């Protein structure tokens, strides 16, 4: 019976793999078409500075309106775009669209609002990455100070020495730099101090249980302390409840983002938010 069960488990497993492979091939085929048909769009989620209560930036998050499958979120198609190399084209489209959008948000007499753009390791570690960023900034005429790039620990650590050079190149242009999902990858702390970063974004998985789970709370406290001693700002991702917010405030977290404040918004809703403030 055990043998029988094992075989069933195996065939279940391989069916599952088959299904995933089919879905990937399906998405891969329609990804090519998606560019031509303008099927991607961006939503923007506010990032709030706790001290002032001000929205200082919006994070651009890509979505895909698939004509047959409906709305698809990035966790499903970014990996496919990475495997097929289409991520470079998609990444450039996201950057250009976000930069154009950010220019429109600036209002005379009001403090500037930045845009934060996620960068895949597959893009960041490409030789032409900096040239692409320069080209987009030039075309869109966005002040580089208004752009932040979010990188993950793994994409920086993949080639830490080269990463330092690339980060410095971006930094001298005035671009802000953040590490996304901090705490989930592995960072060599000795490298961290050599990276010219502006902020660490604490991953939602630590924030989610911060009220109940004392281990997660300890981790968040340690990240905040370490970031501050390195001169970095700390943003907590995925804040959904008031008690999480209170705890983060008490512990000296600088900035927050999450459904408690706002879900990712369409451009029209962003403009409403900017008017109110
Ligand atoms: P991320 O950069 O860590 O973005 C945060 C994700 O958490 C977003 O999911 C956002 O909608 C979600 N989120 C924000 N606040 C909350 C909250 O309070 N609760 C919960 N449960 N979730 C919250 P989304 O938009 O599905 O994006 C997932 C990931 O896909 C992103 O994680 C990022 O790694 C990647 N991604 C999104 N857009 C792009 C892009 O343009 N380029 C690249 N390379 N990756 C992207
Ligand atoms: Mg991000
Ligand atoms: Mg994140
Ligand atoms: Mg993430």
């Amino acid at each position: 019976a055990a043998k029988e069960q094992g075989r069933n488990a195996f065939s279940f497993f391989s069916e599952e793999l088959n299904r995933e492979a089919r879905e990937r091939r399906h998405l891969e085929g329609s990804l090519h078409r998606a560019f031509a048909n303008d099927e991607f769009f961006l939503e923007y989620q506010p990032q709030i500075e706790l001290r002032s209560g001000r929205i200082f930036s919006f994070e651009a998050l890509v979505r895909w309106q698939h004509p047959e499958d409906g709305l698809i979120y990035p966790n499903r198609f970014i990996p496919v775009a990475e495997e097929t190399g289409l991520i470079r084209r998609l990444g450039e489209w996201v950057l250009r669209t976000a930069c154009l959008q950010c220019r429109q948000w600036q209002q005379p007499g009001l403090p500037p609002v930045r845009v934060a753009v996620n960068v895949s390791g597959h893009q960041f570690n490409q030789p032409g990455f900096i040239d692409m960023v320069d080209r987009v900034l030039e075309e869109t005429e966005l002040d580089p100070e208004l752009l932040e790039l979010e990188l993950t620990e793994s994409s920086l650590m993949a080639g830490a020495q080269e990463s330092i050079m690339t980060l410095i190149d971006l930094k001298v242009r005035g671009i802000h730099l953040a590490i996304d999902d901090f705490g989930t990858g592995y960072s060599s702390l000795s490298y961290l101090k050599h990276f010219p970063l502006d902020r660490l974004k604490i991953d939602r998985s630590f924030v989610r249980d911060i009220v109940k789970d004392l281990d997660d709370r300890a981790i968040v406290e340690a990240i905040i302390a370490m970031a501050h001693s390195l001169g970095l700002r700390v943003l907590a991702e995925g804040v959904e409840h008031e008690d999480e917010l209170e705890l983060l405030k008490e512990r000296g977290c600088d900035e927050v983002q999450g459904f408690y404040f706002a879900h990712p918004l369409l451009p029209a809703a962003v403009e409403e938010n900017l008017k109110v403030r």
Side-chain angles (χ1 to χ4, degrees):
K3 212 172 189 179
E4 193 60 21
Q5 247 182 7
R7 186 160 0 177
N8 285 342
F10 176 76
S11 71
F12 172 78
F13 187 59
S14 62
E15 266 166 37
E16 182 63 20
L17 281 181
N18 256 322
R19 201 189 53 75
E20 272 172 26
R22 263 201 316 277
E23 164 165 301
R24 287 200 166 210
R25 270 200 307 279
H26 168 71
L27 290 183
E28 194 182 316
S30 40
L31 260 180
H32 285 275
R33 187 207 54 212
F35 284 103
N37 291 1
D38 236 6
E39 290 166 14
F40 298 110
F41 66 98
L42 299 182
E43 289 189 317
Y44 298 90
Q45 190 181 32
Q47 301 184 327
I48 293 114
E49 181 185 57
L50 288 175
R51 192 175 42 81
S52 61
R54 194 174 84 79
I55 298 178
F56 65 96
S57 181
F58 287 87
E59 177 176 4
L61 296 158
V62 67
R63 279 90 181 79
W64 179 8
Q65 188 64 56
H66 192 289
E68 293 108 38
D69 301 358
L71 185 60
I72 308 183
Y73 284 89
N75 287 336
R76 261 178 78 201
F77 64 88
I78 293 284
V80 184
E82 288 175 342
E83 275 171 31
T84 55
L86 278 172
I87 190 68
R88 290 171 67 183
R89 195 165 161 205
L90 180 60
E92 181 168 344
W93 180 85
V94 168
L95 185 65
R96 179 174 291 108
T97 307
C99 288
L100 282 173
Q101 193 60 251
C102 184
R103 273 199 56 191
Q104 297 187 8
W105 293 335
Q106 309 310 316
Q107 292 179 27
L110 291 184
V113 180
R114 287 205 297 270
V115 72
V117 174
N118 292 284
V119 175
S120 152
H122 292 251
Q123 279 177 279
F124 178 77
N125 294 309
Q126 286 285 332
F129 179 66
I130 298 271
D131 290 341
M132 186 276 284
V133 173
D134 279 340
R135 196 166 62 240
V136 170
L137 285 173
E138 206 174 303
E139 282 170 20
T140 60
E141 296 179 355
L142 183 74
D143 178 352
E145 294 275 356
L146 297 181
L147 176 64
E148 177 153 300
L149 297 179
E150 297 192 359
L151 303 146
T152 60
E153 291 167 272
S154 52
S155 50
L156 294 179
M157 293 301 158
Q161 288 293 347
E162 295 79 52
S163 293
I164 293 177
M165 309 305 284
T166 310
L167 292 175
I168 290 172
D169 276 349
L170 295 166
K171 194 72 232 168
V172 297
R173 286 156 170 78
I175 297 169
H176 294 245
L177 301 168
I179 296 199
D180 204 351
D181 305 339
F182 190 78
T184 58
Y186 71 100
S187 278
S188 158
L189 298 182
S190 60
Y191 271 117
L192 209 53
K193 75 170 182 191
H194 295 296
F195 292 153
L197 300 167
D198 296 282
R199 65 176 39 71
L200 296 186
K201 297 187 69 179
I202 305 178
D203 192 69
R204 185 176 93 79
S205 58
F206 303 110
V207 175
R208 194 177 45 208
D209 299 324
I210 190 180
V211 174
K212 299 186 294 327
D213 188 322
L214 295 181
D215 293 334
D216 284 346
R217 193 184 301 181
I219 291 171
V220 168
E221 288 170 358
I223 294 175
I224 292 172
M226 182 195 65
H228 284 167
S229 64
L230 290 172
L232 307 177
R233 298 182 65 81
V234 189
L235 181 147
E237 296 193 279
V239 176
E240 292 186 358
H241 303 106
E242 188 169 5
D243 48 2
E244 295 159 1
L245 173 66
E246 288 313 319
L247 233 151
L248 289 161
K249 267 188 187 162
E250 257 170 47
R251 300 304 194 271
C253 183
D254 304 296
E255 299 154 355
V256 286
Q257 186 178 349
F259 295 170
Y260 179 71
F261 298 92
H263 283 251
L265 306 167
L266 288 169
V270 169
E271 310 215 324
E272 276 311 303
N273 263 272
L274 289 174
K275 264 184 233 144
V276 174
R277 269 150 233 266

